[in-house]
Amino acid sequence: MRFLPIWCLLILGLGQVCAEDLGITHARQLEMPQLPKPGYLETVVDPVFGSEITRVTGDTGAAIPGVDSVWNAVARHGYSKEGAWNCDQSLLWIRTHHGFPSMIFLDGASYKPVFGRNIGPGSEARWTPNRPDYMVFVKDNTIGFWNVREDTTKIVVTLPGYSEFGIGPWEGNLSNDGRLVAISAKNGGRQVAFVYDLEKRAKYPDVEFAIARLDWVSISTSGKYLVANGKFSEGQGDQSQVYDLQGNRIGALWSEYGRPSHFDLTIDENGDDIAVGVSKSKPDLGRVIKRRLRDGAVTVLTSGGFAGHSSTRNLDRPGWAYVTYQYSGPDWPPFWNEVVAVKLDGSQIVERIAHLHAPRTDYLTEAHAVPSPDGKRVIWASSWGAKASGRPVSAYVARLKGR
């Protein structure tokens, strides 16, 4: 009997097939079998990976239990970098409901609706990492806290002369201690960004962007750096520059197109602030990479596939990023229409979680997978094979096998 080396057994246990055993250089492509669409709050088992999948939003036109309204054809979480669960996982945020109310908050364990909120107090909001009922929100030139259960707000600061505040927009997060946030804004017509300390109520200097396009900004996970993404020079854009909190450049511009792209920020096993996402440029085209913020050093994290969006909202499961592979072939094996967790240490260990059953027909059908803070569950959006209309779009949660 042939015994496999321990690293092969580890990978086999995570849903992959050992490359040495197959005589190839990448994990095996696994077909996505037909699986009937789960009913509302029904749980099914992924026949390939063994994860439990639950549909957490209901049928179009059906009553929303406990909320005086009905489900719309689009009822899903937000973006891959917007945490869906609050920090103690007692609430799950369905941010995009194309009906009334526009937001629905579910019980974080049973997924039953708890309450709805229409719009919210501002243009953007993010869960705080240490106060379960609270989000930080921005509106116009104001930053504040929103108690989602009580639907009350407390203004932290209003800055005269500024406008168009964004937490990114859309792609920024707080530092892991909840203290710092990076804001994109206009100041007298000039495109700027700055870091704000929510505890000390102190603003750091503006960073001015005289560039073709600023896409988004974010504070780094540790709170040491401000990261900006956009078009900084000639080329295709999706370039990134790192700054300290005073606005001084840290390292060179990441001048390649999308290297990485659709990235989230976290801290790796060495304690370094990193960006992790898909590379859209050579030499690591399609692979998931991490890029160290202080010097731009790149480590390739996967050996195959063409990745989509990455999320590191698993704050209590460090060392991993959750990656959406929505592409369904036939090129770029082995991860077709899957959500996986990628280890950040360069070992190229990938934990395969579930098939998405999510053909992309427009932006709202992009899966945008997001993990829970403990990393044991992941939510994504899917039309569950409705290629023609792309509707309805529902939210699904998978619990990792054995977790």
Side-chain angles (χ1 to χ4, degrees), residues 77-93:
H77 71 301
Y79 186 57
S80 53
K81 288 186 253 185
E82 289 179 325
W85 282 270
N86 62 347
C87 62
D88 69 358
Q89 303 185 133
S90 60
L91 291 173
L92 175 57
W93 185 28

Side-chain angles (χ1 to χ4, degrees), residues 132-143:
D133 293 345
Y134 285 84
M135 291 186 175
V136 171
F137 76 91
V138 295
K139 181 180 182 180
D140 300 328
N141 60 348
T142 294
I143 306 172

